[in-house]
Amino acid sequence: MTDPRAVAVNVAANTNQPGFRGPVYPDGSFAYVPIPESAATLPRERFPVDEPLPTYGDLDLPFAVPADLRETPVHMDPEFPGVHGRDRATYGDPHGVKAGRIAGLEPGDWLFFYATLSLRPHGWVGPGETGGRDADAGGLDPDDDIAPDWGAYLFAGIRVERVLAVGDGDRAVDRDAAAALAPTNAHLKRDPFDARVVVAGDPTASGLFERVVPLSTPEAGADANRLVTALSSDSGKGPWWRRPMSFDADATETLLNRIEKG
């Protein structure tokens, strides 16, 4: 068995969808906020499992979402055991650039997730009228590795058990196979099913981190730190925080040690 490798992809709420980033707090703790569901979905009776399509109002968040978002369905992907009512570790992706990287992962490898998060005080009440969509984070005393205003942070991981990927000429993986592997994944609720890759992970090893691992420098969110520039496949130039990154076995070991230290 070869040493594990990793891919990291950008997910979660951002300033485009739904209009605000999730919070990172001064001590590096955080909240995972999914994006809204942007695609057409099947009726509930055609989901692989009998469950409702979750909304922002269903999420277990430490702040209030704006009233006009509470009934908005969310794209609960990735999903992690014990987070927002989920009990599996899965991820699906329809985009070729990310799917191609993820398709090369093998059992025991890691799929990491990062997000752009805004620095907020503990007790932040949320975006919009109640909390201020652009609430000033000035006056906070964040940990030395937390960027001012916003930054990019690793916040979760799935230890891969199995990957389904598209074959030559296919536009999506086989839906029946995906439903057998990851029946609660959000892409199986879409009409049509669109995932070019589906990942199922070890539910005991996968999940949210206790603390974020910064990919940005402490000086500016747009500047990549050495985890990106020295360890990943990405140059750290331009909008690097939107791109997938690959890590070889040695770099993955460094990341895992960094995650363990918190």
Side-chain angles (χ1 to χ4, degrees):
M1 181 176 178
T2 60
D3 292 333
R5 301 160 301 135
V7 169
V9 296
N10 178 288
V11 297
N14 56 62
T15 53
N16 292 321
Q17 297 184 82
F20 65 92
R21 301 184 187 96
V24 60
Y25 301 111
D27 62 358
S29 57
F30 63 96
Y32 164 42
V33 186
I35 60 172
E37 178 53 82
S38 59
T41 56
L42 296 164
R44 177 173 173 171
E45 62 269 19
R46 292 181 59 194
F47 292 176
V49 295
D50 183 18
E51 63 179 14
L53 191 66
T55 68
Y56 279 102
D58 296 325
L59 302 184
D60 182 18
L61 294 171
F63 59 86
V65 296
D68 60 355
L69 274 181
R70 289 173 192 158
E71 299 303 317
T72 299
V74 296
H75 185 68
M76 191 69 74
D77 195 27
E79 59 175 351
F80 307 103
V83 180
H84 299 318
R86 314 311 293 165
D87 59 9
R88 294 173 182 264
T90 79
Y91 181 68
D93 203 291
H95 303 293
V97 173
K98 289 193 287 185
R101 296 279 185 100
I102 296 168
L105 295 176
E106 298 178 350
D109 289 343
W110 283 90
L111 176 55
F112 291 128
F113 302 96
Y114 71 93
T116 54
L117 304 173
S118 292
L119 179 60
R120 301 299 188 198
H122 283 289
W124 181 60
V125 295
E129 295 181 1
T130 58
R133 186 174 297 271
D134 299 309
D136 185 7
L140 299 180
D141 185 22
D143 287 355
D144 291 343
D145 59 353
I146 301 297
D149 189 22
W150 70 274
Y153 302 92
L154 291 171
F155 71 92
I158 288 177
R159 190 165 72 183
V160 175
E161 286 192 335
R162 190 176 172 198
V163 177
L164 292 177
V166 293
D168 291 341
D170 292 334
R171 301 187 64 178
V173 300
D174 181 79
R175 189 181 190 280
D176 290 341
L181 178 68
T184 56
N185 185 265
H187 286 270
L188 286 158
K189 298 178 173 70
R190 285 185 166 182
D191 185 18
F193 174 63
D194 61 352
R196 296 179 62 83
V197 67
V198 174
V199 177
D202 178 347
T204 61
S206 307
L208 303 183
F209 304 153
E210 291 187 5
R211 185 186 187 279
V212 297
V213 173
L215 298 177
S216 298
T217 68
E219 292 75 33
D223 295 338
N225 68 25
R226 69 175 304 275
L227 294 182
V228 177
T229 60
L231 297 185
S232 87
S233 60
D234 198 273
S235 66
K237 297 178 180 179
W240 58 270
W241 59 89
R242 300 173 186 167
R243 300 191 291 249
M245 307 174 195
S246 299
F247 298 85
D248 64 19
D250 288 341
T252 299
E253 183 178 5
T254 299
L255 280 180
L256 291 171
N257 289 335
R258 178 69 177 81
I259 291 163
E260 185 177 356
K261 291 177 181 178

